[in-house]
Amino acid sequence: MTTFALPHISAQIETPIAAAVREGLSAHSKRLPAWLFYDDEGSRLFDQITGLPEYYLTRTERAIFAAHCAEIVAQAAGQYANKPARLRVAELGAGSADKTRLLLNAAVDLCGPVVYEPVDVSASAMEEACERIDREIPGVRVAPLVADYTEGLDLAPTHPGERRMVLYIGSSIGNFEPREAARLLDDLRAALEPGDSILLGVDLRKDEPTLLAAYNDAAGVTASFNLNLLARLNRELAADFDLESFAHRAVWNPEHSRIEMHLESLIPQQVQLASLDLEISFAAGESIHTENSYKYAPGQPESMLEQAGFTPQSTWTDDRAWFAVCLARVQ
């Protein structure tokens, strides 16, 4: 196990990362928030995950966009002075923005010049995506924002004749507990103006083997993604997690309709987090709960949007009804 010298305790312990780690690892049932996954290495690994054969979510949602992007954009833009309104497309947790290019191309075709506002905590992942969009899609002006959208959304105001469509896709909403997801949608609704819309992508319930395979791929990329969370704590908080003493676990929780990801301690051990002046003990078999991914019943996403004050407009699914994309408007 690697040993680190104890650094001078500084204001670092007051950072959001330090506070979340202290709270989560000191709890009776240890946990860490999923947003900690997305440092530069975590973002790179997640980009790999989206291309894995077991990870159906990305390609299924992309297929929905490919089949319906023109219809989605037309509904989001609506009409202004007897022609399609100009469109701003904001994306929460944009990452590589791979699927988004389908919508942006359709928006330029219908509405003319488009402003794209990607929001992400990972500057490196977003920078590459922005450069590619700027290069490949003339007519799109990129206005990126490096921020944690869960702490509030501060976007530029729209202009007369312009509407904003917020993309919250990839079933990212499923990473939040139901109460947290409801609060996030409430906050988003409050940040938008009448005529604006949200495009929400959600993963639907399906058979357990398909779900488990998506979060426990044969190549082990998801395991590396999960374990990178501990490597990040080693790097940023001078922790001494021995990654070989922890194992990735993915389980289906039917009671809560969610996949859970855990990091299980393979041995009894103590871990030092030097920057926090904190020691954490693990029993063999004890785990850190690192992520939930909720799976929804048909009609449930529309109900969530209605409760947040949106008016559902249309829902598109794939042929197997594995994934749904819902457009809802602010009236």
Side-chain angles (χ1 to χ4, degrees):
M1 194 177 290
T2 304
T3 302
F4 292 83
L6 181 65
H8 175 66
I9 304 302
S10 68
Q12 181 189 31
I13 65 173
E14 304 301 328
T15 65
I17 290 176
V21 170
R22 182 188 295 279
E23 179 184 0
L25 294 187
S26 298
H28 176 70
S29 297
K30 295 180 175 64
R31 64 188 185 276
L32 289 171
W35 56 263
L36 282 173
F37 283 129
Y38 298 99
D39 63 350
D40 289 348
E41 176 65 6
S43 296
R44 185 190 67 80
L45 287 166
F46 183 73
D47 197 45
Q48 287 187 30
I49 288 170
T50 63
L52 294 170
E54 298 96 332
Y55 196 79
Y56 61 86
L57 290 86
T58 301
R59 64 175 177 271
T60 304
E61 188 175 38
R62 183 188 293 114
I64 294 171
F65 289 165
H68 302 287
C69 58
E71 184 181 357
I72 291 169
V73 166
Q75 289 196 28
Q79 294 287 310
Y80 181 82
N82 298 317
K83 62 180 181 180
R86 298 192 306 277
L87 203 60
R88 281 181 177 260
V89 179
E91 182 172 8
L92 309 185
S96 65
D98 182 56
K99 294 167 290 186
T100 310
R101 290 193 290 276
L102 294 167
L103 295 168
L104 291 176
N105 273 305
V108 171
D109 288 345
L110 180 69
C111 306
V114 170
V115 177
Y116 174 53
E117 303 168 313
V119 182
D120 203 287
V121 295
S122 174
S124 61
M126 194 162 53
E127 181 179 2
E128 182 178 345
C130 291
E131 289 176 354
R132 184 174 179 185
I133 288 169
D134 189 59
R135 183 175 64 250
E136 294 182 358
I137 313 178
V140 174
R141 180 171 68 83
V142 182
L145 177 61
V146 178
D148 178 3
Y149 64 83
T150 66
E151 298 298 320
L153 195 60
D154 185 19
L155 296 172
T158 54
H159 301 299
E162 187 177 55
R163 289 180 173 177
R164 175 176 277 121
M165 174 172 62
V166 175
L167 309 182
Y168 197 25
I169 57 180
S171 203
S172 297
I173 192 76
N175 294 142
F176 295 90
E177 299 287 346
R179 186 177 299 176
E180 295 172 338
R183 178 190 61 78
L184 195 154
L185 291 175
D186 285 343
D187 290 348
L188 179 58
R189 164 62 186 85
L192 298 179
E193 300 293 334
D196 293 344
S197 58
I198 180 174
L199 189 68
L200 183 68
V202 297
D203 196 18
L204 301 177
R205 293 176 187 168
K206 55 188 65 65
D207 64 283
E208 184 174 342
T210 297
L211 289 168
L212 287 173
Y215 295 85
N216 193 26
D217 61 279
V221 182
T222 310
S224 296
F225 174 71
N226 203 6
L227 286 162
N228 179 65
L229 194 157
L230 301 184
R232 179 180 187 180
L233 302 191
N234 286 350
R235 292 189 295 268
E236 298 187 22
L237 296 180
D240 64 352
F241 285 98
D242 177 8
L243 273 60
E244 294 184 358
S245 296
F246 288 84
H248 164 71
R249 300 284 185 256
V251 297
W252 169 243
N253 184 329
E255 180 182 358
H256 294 290
S257 191
R258 70 189 187 197
I259 288 284
E260 297 177 1
M261 291 209 321
H262 296 259
L263 289 166
E264 181 183 324
S265 178
L266 301 176
I267 58 172
Q269 56 182 308
Q270 286 76 42
V271 175
Q272 305 290 331
L273 291 94
S275 288
L276 303 185
D277 192 22
L278 184 66
E279 180 180 271
I280 303 295
S281 296
F282 290 87
E286 187 176 7
S287 73
I288 307 170
H289 190 162
T290 56
E291 185 179 53
N292 291 320
S293 184
Y294 282 85
K295 310 303 175 184
Y296 299 98
Q300 189 176 357
E302 293 88 341
S303 295
M304 292 167 57
L305 290 164
E306 282 186 315
Q307 290 169 12
F310 291 95
T311 301
Q313 301 290 298
S314 297
T315 296
W316 298 269
T317 64
D318 59 288
D319 292 341
R320 295 178 291 191
W322 276 15
F323 202 95
V325 174
C326 311
L327 183 73
R329 187 177 301 284
V330 178
Q331 298 289 24

